[in-house]
Amino acid sequence: MIVTVTMNPSIDISYPLASLNVDTVNRTDQVSKTAGGKGLNVTRVIHDLKGDVLATGVLGGYHGAFIADELKHAGIKQKFTDIKEESRDSIAVLHEGNQTEILEAGPTVSYEEQQNFLENFKELIKKAKIVTISGSLAKGLPSNFYQTLVQLTEEQSAKVLVDTSGESLHQVLAGKQKPFLIKPNLEELSTLLRHSFSIDRLEEVQEELIQPIFAGIEWIIVSLGKAGALAKHKDCFYRVTLPTIKAVNPVGSGDATVAGFAYGLSQEMDEIELLKFCMATGMANAQEGQTGHVSPVNIQSHIEKITVKKIE
Ligand code: ADP
């Protein structure tokens, strides 16, 4: 089983508007409300791939109930810990080709709720082969919280894939136990290492990835959007390039990549198969209007056209 962790889920609300008028009323009869947060995107994509997945994290209030209901209707297994404060809304207004977002920070998780979650998590990982941890932490959780989850997972000999950024990622890397995979994009890597990287100078990225801070992480996939990825597996580097596709909505493609990797790992794919599969899953997400959804047929057709070149 693959367990996905979402510590700050949201209801993602999107309002498509012909134009956004500031300081006056904007009306719309088109609204979409879905269970969101990076971890839930990962969950849905694994479910689309027919993987055995269970979603966990924290949920609170009416918003939490809405998210739980959405997952239930989709037939996705879940075991969240209840919290007192309300789960958040994330609002995206789509107007004139722009996307204006209003993101709530979300609820504060109390110490007691944190302990309840950890008890729940310890039970779940007894049955998990793979755990994915994605996105930001809710307020109240310590910045090394993901490191705690990595440690608990490794103790159970399950593989843990981490896709987070900023201080949470920094703390994960500083810990004694290392995740099996991290998947920063170039911007997240630049923030982490306080150095601006460019897609035209990937050899600089390569040099950074052999620094001690990354030691012990079996897989590092630096995703590059439509340009594919630079991947490191153990001591080998690979450049993955993709065929051109018509992207409809690339939001959540990184989450789909993590989902594809988790699924591929559960199917015991070899390293080249894994790389092609996870990249193709990211691409398939970019082809869908809805964030965190893929069509498996698209994945298969991309795989044949993706190239993986070992960098000597
Ligand atoms: P993130 O969403 O974390 O920023 P990326 O934008 O790098 O991640 O996307 C992750 C993967 O999804 C890419 O490596 C690629 O396989 C696929 N992808 C994303 N955007 C596109 C696109 N416009 N065209 C084709 N594939 C894409």
Side-chain angles (χ1 to χ4, degrees):
M1 181 172 73
I2 303 167
V3 170
T4 60
V5 178
T6 313
M7 293 312 293
N8 202 2
S10 58
I11 300 181
D12 286 352
I13 304 175
S14 99
Y15 296 124
L17 298 178
S19 62
L20 176 67
N21 303 309
V22 178
D23 202 24
T24 185
V25 173
N26 292 271
R27 294 184 195 278
T28 179
D29 56 4
Q30 277 185 299
V31 55
S32 126
K33 298 188 183 186
T34 55
K38 286 167 69 69
L40 293 184
N41 294 338
V42 175
T43 313
R44 273 196 302 265
V45 171
I46 298 173
H47 185 69
D48 284 349
L49 296 171
K50 311 253 179 304
D52 181 15
V53 63
L54 179 144
T56 189
V58 291
L59 286 179
Y62 291 108
H63 288 78
F66 176 91
I67 293 168
D69 218 45
E70 281 263 300
L71 295 175
K72 190 172 159 207
H73 275 105
I76 294 173
K77 288 189 280 184
Q78 56 181 298
K79 198 154 194 327
F80 283 84
T81 298
D82 290 334
I83 57 170
K84 256 200 249 84
E85 291 190 14
E86 194 75 30
S87 293
R88 63 189 174 137
D89 279 331
S90 298
I91 298 170
V93 185
L94 313 172
H95 57 102
E96 298 127 336
N98 300 309
Q99 182 160 336
T100 302
E101 296 190 23
I102 301 171
L103 305 181
E104 296 178 15
T108 298
V109 177
S110 71
Y111 180 74
E112 194 190 344
E113 290 164 344
Q114 193 189 128
Q115 296 311 307
N116 290 344
F117 171 78
L118 287 173
E119 286 313 309
N120 173 26
F121 185 71
K122 282 181 202 161
E123 278 308 305
L124 293 176
I125 55 176
K126 285 182 188 161
K127 290 169 262 162
K129 266 197 183 161
I130 298 157
V131 173
T132 70
I133 298 175
S134 309
S136 60
L137 286 166
K139 283 183 289 176
L141 296 168
S143 61
N144 66 353
F145 190 70
Y146 286 153
Q147 174 55 34
T148 306
L149 302 188
V150 168
Q151 201 171 325
L152 290 169
T153 309
E154 296 269 321
E155 280 166 16
Q156 292 290 330
S157 308
K159 295 191 164 99
V160 57
L161 321 180
V162 178
D163 183 16
T164 186
S165 54
E167 188 52 25
S168 301
L169 177 58
H170 184 78
Q171 292 281 343
V172 164
L173 298 179
K176 222 172 99 203
Q177 306 275 353
K178 303 294 174 185
F180 185 73
L181 167 137
I182 56 169
K183 193 225 69 64
N185 59 29
L186 217 47
E187 197 185 328
E188 288 160 346
L189 199 68
S190 298
T191 308
L192 177 79
L193 300 171
R194 299 203 176 105
H195 178 96
S196 156
F197 293 107
S198 148
I199 201 161
D200 307 317
R201 296 193 310 274
L202 288 177
E203 57 288 351
E204 279 184 18
V205 177
Q206 229 178 296
E207 262 168 48
E208 286 298 331
L209 298 186
I210 51 175
Q211 298 305 316
I213 179 180
F214 297 107
I217 305 172
E218 185 157 336
W219 278 94
I220 303 173
I221 298 184
V222 180
S223 66
L224 307 166
K226 64 177 184 224
L230 172 74
K232 177 174 182 280
H233 180 222
K234 296 182 180 162
D235 292 331
C236 298
F237 281 94
Y238 298 93
R239 180 71 176 93
V240 190
T241 47
L242 316 176
T244 305
I245 56 161
K246 190 173 174 296
V248 177
N249 172 23
V251 177
S253 290
D255 306 330
T257 302
V258 172
F261 192 94
Y263 176 79
L265 207 55
S266 75
Q267 302 299 303
E268 298 178 357
M269 290 182 190
D270 68 28
E271 59 178 355
I272 305 296
E273 282 177 316
L274 258 177
L275 274 174
K276 288 187 174 179
F277 191 83
C278 74
M279 286 288 106
T281 312
M283 292 171 73
N285 174 79
Q287 288 177 295
E288 301 289 324
Q290 247 186 317
T291 300
H293 276 290
V294 294
S295 160
V297 178
N298 287 339
I299 295 176
Q300 284 316 320
S301 79
H302 296 325
I303 283 175
E304 294 155 25
K305 300 177 202 124
I306 293 174
T307 59
V308 177
K309 204 171 143 231
K310 191 168 176 183
I311 305 172
E312 299 297 345

